[in-house]
Amino acid sequence: MYVAVLQKPLLGYLFTLIVLQLPKMNAGHFEVLGPLEPILALVGEDALLACHFSPSVSAEHMELRWFRNTFSPAVMVYREGQELEEEQMIEYRGRVTLVKDNITLGHVALKIHHIRAFDEGVYGCFFRDKQDQGEAFLILNVAAVGSDPHISMKTQENGERELECTSSGWYPEPPVQWRTASGEKLPSTSESRKRDEEGLFTVAASITIRDSSIRNVFCCIQNILLGQKKQVEISVPVSNLGPVSRKVLLEMILHFNLGRVLTQTKQAIPSPSSSFWVVTLLLLSAFLGLTGIYVAWKKCRTRHRQRNGTVDCIEWRFARPHAVDVTLDQDTAHSHLVVSESLKSVHLEASRQTLPDSPERFDTWPCVLGRENFTSGKYYWEVEVGHRPDWLLGVCKKSVKKDGFILMSPRNGFWVMELSHEHYWALNPRRDLLYLSNVHRVGIFLDCDEGIVSFYNVNDESLIYTFQECSFSGPVCPLFCLWSCEGLPLTICPVDSEAHQVMVDNTVHPQDPLSSHLLQPGASPAHPLLSPSLEAATVTCPLDPQ
């Protein structure tokens, strides 16, 4: 069985332990095996990447190679009893040592000295002799606990207290949490995270205290991989300008301004009908003032969402009318994935299926594509994830690499989010941690023309995350991945009948009767595949009984 719980949802954590238990090898007398769990290393310390043969075979006269991202240059190459520096990545020269105490028993390890944040990732160990060869993959996770948090405080003119909590030297990117002495959580008004030249994070989070009853505030910063946290407490002095006096002051300012407006208006229009103009000008002033407040609020709201990695590009209720019928492409499914006959759900099996060879099939990561290809327009679909402990959803270019090592990020044509080890992540190059809970159904919106991919929590109709300025440059497809055999399958759900659906021309399998698509309201039936008689049916998607 596969190991279902990993230690950390970071760059390497994307790539499930399934990889570690599916080593590639030719039909020969040995296979290469790696560790069954991710390797954890602290910044500044050493890490040991070990591989071994089963059954035990001497590796003394074999070619040994540890690699990441590319097969050559490699992290380390050992051939004919010598380490070949000319085939080694520059960043690993002088930092790795081959541990070969048990090389005659088929146990060999690579030690990486003085671990850095950039060392995190998926590594491969490749062994070859004159007749056979084999390789296995292993995951290296890196962690660092930063400095003690520091809180600075500023007092605004209105008496409010602005607190800023800062700390540096963290890895991975840590969440910051404000709370009161009673344990009540307080949302940050702004957050920023920057990486230094060593790849470590410096975080800063601000909060504004308006409640005069709050006396003590804690700032807590946590390393979710190590389960360690650091926190600091600050006492908030009582504001000299209490809520009552502030209210009185605001009323005085308001009355003063209104008095000035009335006085100036009467002087400018001294006619008997001036009251009409006074009221008109007052209403106009009020309207302009409220408009200014609304515009400022919208800008502040947008900046807040941008700081948290999300922009509300399109609300959920406006995305749903672009619903489309999505099905799964069996020709791309990994051999451990079982696709239902309806092509609407997929689950992971512990045993490998015997499937026809296909250049479009994922051979290492347990993923499957949707059959629909999107090149222009807007599209939306929903996936029931239930109470599964892990999953990955989104879109990718149809032409993405499907064999061997895959780094899932926009740079390589993937726009995805995942759940792993009870944390949600948007897989940007820096991996954005998403502060979510209890997401059971995910809505995915794709705007090919604007280059946008948005994710929604259908349960509360809220936006989760938006990838912007996506460079598709070709057809893109829905993507579905599972990392363990636990839980129910991923299921593509029909969108409620309130949201009519749009047609997608399935260029892969247009003849398949399962690719039925519904008409968008107001769409022209001139297209031969569009029919105004098609209506969205109300279908209940199965829910997790748990």
Side-chain angles (χ1 to χ4, degrees):
M1 294 295 293
Y2 294 95
V3 177
V5 179
L6 304 182
Q7 298 299 317
K8 165 177 174 272
L10 293 173
L11 177 63
Y13 185 34
L14 259 179
F15 312 118
T16 178
L17 296 180
I18 294 174
V19 176
L20 307 177
Q21 295 178 308
L22 297 176
K24 297 180 183 180
M25 57 183 179
N26 294 335
H29 61 278
F30 67 83
E31 64 177 290
V32 182
L33 301 176
L36 296 180
E37 295 184 359
I39 300 166
L40 176 60
L42 299 179
V43 170
E45 297 186 359
D46 297 342
L48 197 65
L49 312 185
C51 292
H52 66 278
F53 293 137
S54 177
S56 296
V57 178
S58 175
E60 191 173 8
H61 302 292
M62 290 188 179
E63 175 187 340
L64 313 180
R65 180 185 297 263
W66 273 262
F67 61 94
R68 60 174 302 193
N69 300 336
T70 62
F71 191 77
S72 180
V75 177
M76 199 280 300
V77 178
Y78 178 85
R79 187 186 301 132
E80 297 180 355
Q82 294 183 346
E83 297 181 19
L84 305 182
E85 186 174 307
E86 61 271 18
E87 293 190 36
Q88 190 175 37
M89 292 181 173
I90 296 177
E91 55 267 36
Y92 289 101
R93 291 180 182 177
R95 293 182 56 227
V96 297
T97 302
L98 183 65
V99 180
K100 48 185 179 180
D101 297 343
N102 296 312
I103 192 170
T104 57
L105 301 177
H107 291 260
V108 188
L110 180 73
K111 179 179 288 188
I112 304 178
H113 303 279
H114 194 68
I115 286 292
R116 303 177 302 181
F118 297 113
D119 292 328
E120 179 179 77
V122 178
Y123 290 76
C125 56
F126 172 85
F127 296 171
R128 175 168 58 190
D129 63 12
K130 295 181 180 180
Q131 297 179 341
D132 304 293
Q133 66 182 38
E135 65 181 16
F137 293 92
L138 47 95
I139 298 170
L140 176 63
N141 290 335
V142 177
V145 176
S147 61
D148 293 337
H150 172 73
I151 299 179
S152 59
M153 180 170 58
K154 296 180 181 179
T155 302
Q156 306 297 330
E157 293 181 358
N158 59 4
E160 297 176 347
R161 313 291 185 176
E162 181 178 331
L163 309 180
E164 183 181 45
C165 179
T166 58
S167 181
S168 60
W170 293 84
Y171 196 86
E173 179 180 349
V176 182
Q177 179 65 64
W178 294 94
R179 64 177 181 84
T180 63
S182 62
E184 177 186 359
K185 294 181 179 180
L186 303 173
S188 300
T189 55
S190 67
E191 291 188 13
S192 66
R193 294 172 174 84
K194 298 180 180 179
R195 298 187 71 171
D196 60 23
E197 59 184 11
E198 296 296 326
L200 303 179
F201 286 94
T202 296
V203 295
S206 300
I207 189 172
T208 301
I209 304 298
R210 299 183 176 88
D211 188 348
S212 60
S213 65
I214 296 178
R215 294 289 182 269
N216 296 81
V217 176
F218 293 84
C219 172
C220 177
I221 305 179
Q222 182 181 15
N223 185 302
I224 59 176
L225 173 61
L226 299 175
Q228 299 180 17
K229 64 180 180 181
K230 289 189 175 184
Q231 70 177 22
V232 64
E233 178 183 9
I234 189 172
S235 297
V236 182
V238 179
S239 173
N240 295 327
L241 188 62
V244 176
S245 58
R246 287 200 298 270
K247 179 179 179 181
V248 173
L249 178 61
L250 289 174
E251 290 179 351
M252 291 173 61
I253 295 174
L254 179 61
H255 289 172
F256 175 75
N257 288 335
L258 287 177
R260 291 183 60 185
V261 172
L262 287 172
T263 301
Q264 293 173 1
T265 304
K266 287 180 179 180
Q267 292 175 353
I269 311 176
S271 63
S273 60
S274 61
S275 59
F276 169 79
W277 295 105
V278 170
V279 173
T280 301
L281 289 175
L282 285 175
L283 291 175
L284 180 60
S285 300
F287 173 77
L288 293 176
L290 291 174
T291 302
I293 293 173
Y294 175 76
V295 170
W297 173 79
K298 288 289 287 184
K299 288 183 179 180
C300 179
R301 183 168 177 257
T302 300
R303 285 196 299 269
H304 172 70
R305 286 182 171 176
Q306 288 174 337
R307 281 190 293 262
N308 287 278
T310 60
V311 178
D312 195 355
C313 295
I314 183 169
E315 292 186 13
W316 176 76
R317 61 192 179 95
F318 293 121
R320 297 193 91 208
H322 299 282
V324 62
D325 185 21
V326 170
T327 53
L328 301 173
D329 185 357
Q330 290 179 311
D331 292 338
T332 65
H334 186 274
S335 58
H336 282 255
L337 290 178
V338 178
V339 177
S340 66
E341 293 184 3
S342 64
L343 306 181
K344 289 291 187 178
S345 67
V346 59
H347 68 275
L348 189 67
E349 290 284 355
S351 58
R352 179 189 293 269
Q353 302 177 87
T354 302
L355 299 175
D357 291 335
S358 171
E360 296 301 313
R361 189 180 305 284
F362 287 92
D363 71 346
T364 303
W365 312 135
C367 302
V368 59
L369 295 180
R371 300 196 308 169
E372 290 67 34
N373 303 324
F374 307 120
T375 55
S376 63
K378 300 178 177 66
Y379 308 97
Y380 175 85
W381 61 95
E382 293 180 359
V383 181
E384 185 73 25
V385 297
H387 294 279
R388 282 198 56 85
D390 49 60
W391 46 262
L392 181 144
L393 296 171
V395 302
C396 68
K397 292 182 179 180
K398 183 182 178 183
S399 59
V400 294
K401 180 181 178 182
K402 301 178 180 66
D403 60 319
F405 175 86
I406 304 173
L407 178 61
M408 293 189 182
S409 76
R411 294 176 181 174
N412 295 329
F414 293 86
W415 297 269
V416 295
M417 67 167 289
E418 73 161 348
L419 165 65
S420 50
H421 197 49
E422 301 181 356
H423 290 280
Y424 297 86
W425 302 84
L427 302 192
N428 260 326
R430 64 184 182 93
R431 288 184 65 89
D432 293 326
L433 177 63
L434 307 175
Y435 300 95
L436 303 171
S437 61
N438 301 323
V439 178
H440 301 306
R441 185 177 296 190
V442 178
I444 302 168
F445 174 74
L446 168 66
D447 189 335
C448 298
D449 302 324
E450 296 295 330
I452 289 174
V453 179
S454 294
F455 298 86
Y456 299 88
N457 182 356
V458 178
N459 304 96
D460 60 11
E461 305 179 5
S462 64
L463 175 70
I464 296 176
Y465 191 90
T466 292
F467 289 95
Q468 296 191 100
E469 300 179 357
C470 305
S471 178
F472 299 133
S473 64
V476 292
C477 307
L479 177 68
F480 310 81
C481 299
L482 293 173
W483 306 125
S484 73
C485 301
E486 293 187 1
L488 293 179
L490 294 179
T491 303
I492 303 170
C493 298
V495 178
D496 292 344
S497 58
E498 296 177 359
H500 300 284
Q501 294 183 302
V502 298
M503 167 67 69
V504 171
D505 184 4
N506 188 335
T507 58
V508 181
H509 303 282
Q511 76 282 2
D512 195 323
L514 290 173
S515 4
S516 58
H517 308 286
L518 302 180
L519 182 66
Q520 181 184 15
S524 170
H527 193 287
L529 294 180
L530 294 178
S531 170
S533 63
L534 293 176
E535 297 180 356
T538 302
V539 182
T540 302
C541 190
L543 298 176
D544 191 331
Q546 300 178 359

